[in-house]
């Protein structure tokens, strides 16, 4: 019973420590809008964000409330401190019946501060009579190179020829995006107004979508007609200066204690991240706090027996009576063996494994 009690107390302590709250927003600032956590440098009110480009407007007419980027209609669904902003974006549609076109739209997106993630998104067209294009601009490219266009075509004559889980041109086409795209417009065209395929594919569709959330199904040829928006990932960073430039200026303290500056893979500016062994918000003073790897249930340590926490790290050791490095990927802890010495008395001599002694 005592062992069970100790085990339960240890588990409760670990759960309590693992639930430690790390700072998210500036002191005195709200850090949520509906289901969305709002970490600094973003904020909901003045003095709570880094600058006006990081303002999040919380619309309480929805239940639960919805978050929007600045004063725009860009619906934000998640913000990560790794430089990712998850949004919802309209899908382009071009629909027909036997009499002709019934529905068409040309969705667009313009970002004043951030850019479309080339690593997280793809451009897709879906349809059996579909020619789609995406036109936009590359952020801060040379004036004669700033225009950007990418296209995708998908065709098919019968639903039976359209494979599931494959987007290679038969009913579905996908392609990657360039780095630095900060605005785009999507357009769709049809060669034959979906003639001969209206029964299973009355519409063409085109959209940017988060790559890991897209897996083509032939049912999309009809069902996407009822879909309004799809998930897209935006890359965000701070300012226009690289880490090297920031360190030379008065902005060197932009990344707070126990954190480091790094340049984004897409776009300009800089990002901050907590050092290994720390967790929290690197943009806030005191925002990166030490992780107690020995008790935090959300992380795992490498010790077999005794774990001792230290700032940004931890050490492993063995209990009394054992030797080794105490690590799961090392020697572990090995029980020490006691030496057994046997004395044999023969006449006037005592025999020892190492020597004879006169008695």
């Amino acid at each position: 019973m005592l062992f069970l009690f100790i085990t339960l107390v240890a588990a409760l302590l670990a759960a309590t420590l693992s639930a430690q709250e790390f700072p998210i927003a500036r002191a005195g600032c709200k850090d949520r809008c509906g289901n969305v956590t709002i970490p600094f440098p973003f904020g909901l009110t003045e003095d709570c964000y880094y600058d006006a480009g990081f303002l999040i407007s919380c619309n309480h007419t929805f239940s639960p409330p919805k978050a929007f980027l600045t004063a725009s209609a860009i619906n934000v669904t998640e913000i990560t401190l790794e430089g990712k902003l998850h949004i919802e974006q309209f899908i382009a549609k071009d629909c027909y019946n036997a009499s002709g076109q019934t529905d068409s739209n040309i969705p667009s997106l313009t970002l004043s501060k951030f850019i479309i993630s080339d690593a997280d998104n793809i451009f897709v067209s879906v349809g059996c009579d579909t020619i789609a294009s995406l036109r936009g601009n590359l952020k801060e490219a040379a004036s004669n190179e700033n225009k950007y266009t990418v296209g995708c075509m998908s065709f098919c004559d019968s639903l039976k020829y359209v494979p599931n889980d494959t987007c290679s041109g038969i009913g579905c086409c996908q392609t990657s995006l360039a780095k630095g795209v900060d605005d785009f417009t999507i357009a769709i065209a049809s060669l034959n107004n979906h003639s001969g395929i209206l029964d299973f594919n009355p519409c063409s569709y085109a959209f940017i979508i988060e790559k890991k959330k897209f897996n083509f199904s032939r049912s999309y040829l009809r069902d996407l007609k009822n879909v309004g928006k799809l998930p897209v990932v935006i890359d965000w960073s701070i300012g226009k200066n690289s880490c090297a430039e920031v360190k030379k200026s008065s902005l060197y303290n932009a990344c707070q204690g126990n954190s480091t500056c790094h340049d984004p893979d897409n776009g300009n500016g800089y990002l901050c991240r907590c050092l290994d062994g720390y967790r929290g918000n690197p943009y806030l003073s005191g925002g990166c706090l030490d992780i107690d790897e020995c008790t935090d249930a959300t992380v795992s340590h490498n010790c077999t027996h005794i774990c001792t926490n230290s700032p940004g790290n931890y050490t492993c050791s063995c209990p009394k009576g054992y030797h080794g490095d105490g690590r799961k990927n090392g020697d572990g802890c090995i029980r020490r063996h006691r030496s057994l010495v046997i004395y044999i008395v023969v006449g006037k001599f005592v025999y020892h494994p190492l020597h004879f002694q006169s008695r």
Side-chain angles (χ1 to χ4, degrees):
M1 290 294 294
L2 179 60
F3 174 77
L4 178 60
F5 175 74
I6 293 174
T7 302
L8 290 174
V9 170
L12 180 61
L13 177 61
T16 300
L17 291 172
S18 66
Q20 179 183 2
E21 291 188 4
F22 293 86
I24 296 297
R26 274 182 170 171
C29 295
K30 294 181 179 180
D31 62 5
R32 292 195 69 82
C33 173
N35 296 325
V36 181
T37 300
I38 314 297
F40 184 81
F42 293 87
L44 294 165
T45 55
E46 192 174 359
D47 297 330
C48 289
Y49 47 75
Y50 179 80
D51 63 30
F54 289 87
L55 167 66
I56 297 294
S57 300
C58 193
N59 191 328
H60 291 271
T61 62
F62 297 94
S63 182
K66 287 188 176 183
F68 294 87
L69 183 60
T70 61
S72 70
I74 301 173
N75 183 202
V76 177
T77 58
E78 183 183 3
I79 304 171
T80 76
L81 289 171
E82 288 70 41
K84 302 296 180 181
L85 190 73
H86 296 252
I87 68 169
E88 291 185 335
Q89 175 59 23
F90 287 104
I91 178 174
K93 301 177 184 180
D94 185 34
C95 299
Y96 298 84
N97 62 19
S99 300
Q101 189 179 62
T102 60
D103 186 23
S104 180
N105 69 326
I106 304 176
S108 62
L109 177 66
T110 300
L111 300 168
S112 61
K113 192 175 185 68
F114 308 134
I115 51 183
I116 313 297
S117 174
D118 64 301
D120 297 291
N121 303 304
I122 51 176
F123 178 56
V124 178
S125 70
V126 173
C128 286
D129 183 16
T130 304
I131 302 174
S133 65
L134 180 148
R135 299 177 184 273
N137 292 290
L138 302 181
K139 195 177 187 69
E140 295 192 1
S143 59
N144 61 341
E145 298 176 341
N146 63 349
K147 297 299 181 182
Y148 172 70
T149 303
V150 64
C152 226
M153 298 186 295
S154 53
F155 298 97
C156 47
D157 296 320
S158 171
L159 189 61
K160 67 180 181 180
Y161 300 127
V162 181
N164 280 317
D165 305 320
T166 300
C167 188
S168 58
I170 306 176
C172 179
C173 169
Q174 70 180 54
T175 187
S176 58
L177 298 174
K179 291 183 179 295
V181 179
D182 63 352
D183 73 81
F184 66 82
T185 299
I186 296 176
I188 312 178
S190 170
L191 292 180
N192 301 304
N193 296 343
H194 286 244
S195 175
I197 57 174
L198 288 171
D199 57 332
F200 66 90
N201 179 222
C203 300
S204 291
Y205 313 97
F207 45 87
I208 290 179
I209 187 171
E210 185 177 356
K211 188 187 307 183
K212 68 180 183 181
K213 293 187 177 180
F214 179 70
N215 186 33
F216 176 69
S217 167
R218 63 167 64 99
S219 64
Y220 291 173
L221 292 170
R222 178 176 292 277
D223 296 346
L224 282 178
K225 186 175 184 179
N226 302 316
V227 176
K229 295 181 178 181
L230 292 170
V232 174
V233 181
I234 304 300
D235 286 332
W236 66 264
S237 57
I238 293 183
K240 297 181 180 180
N241 297 314
S242 67
C243 287
E245 294 167 332
V246 167
K247 290 177 181 178
K248 294 178 182 178
S249 71
S250 59
L251 296 174
Y252 181 63
N253 62 352
C255 295
Q256 301 297 318
N258 299 319
S259 70
T260 183
C261 181
H262 69 102
D263 297 322
D265 294 328
N266 188 20
N268 301 314
Y270 68 92
L271 292 167
C272 303
R273 64 162 63 106
C274 292
L275 296 173
D276 291 343
Y278 292 85
R279 182 169 57 197
N281 190 331
Y283 302 96
L284 294 174
S285 178
C288 291
L289 303 181
D290 174 58
I291 300 171
D292 188 342
E293 293 88 352
C294 300
T295 58
D296 194 321
T298 64
V299 296
S300 59
H301 59 74
N302 194 38
C303 301
T304 60
H305 287 69
I306 300 173
C307 177
T308 304
N309 187 61
S310 61
N313 208 337
Y314 65 94
T315 57
C316 301
S317 58
C318 296
K320 186 177 180 179
Y322 291 78
H323 68 93
D325 60 11
R327 303 183 72 85
K328 296 175 184 177
N329 62 349
D331 299 332
C333 290
I334 305 169
R335 183 184 292 275
R336 297 182 186 277
H337 295 288
R338 293 182 178 179
S339 300
L340 179 62
V341 179
I342 301 176
Y343 292 90
I344 304 174
V345 179
V346 180
K348 295 191 301 179
F349 297 96
V350 176
Y351 173 73
H352 183 274
L354 298 180
H355 65 275
F356 287 97
Q357 177 181 330
S358 177
R359 184 168 181 176

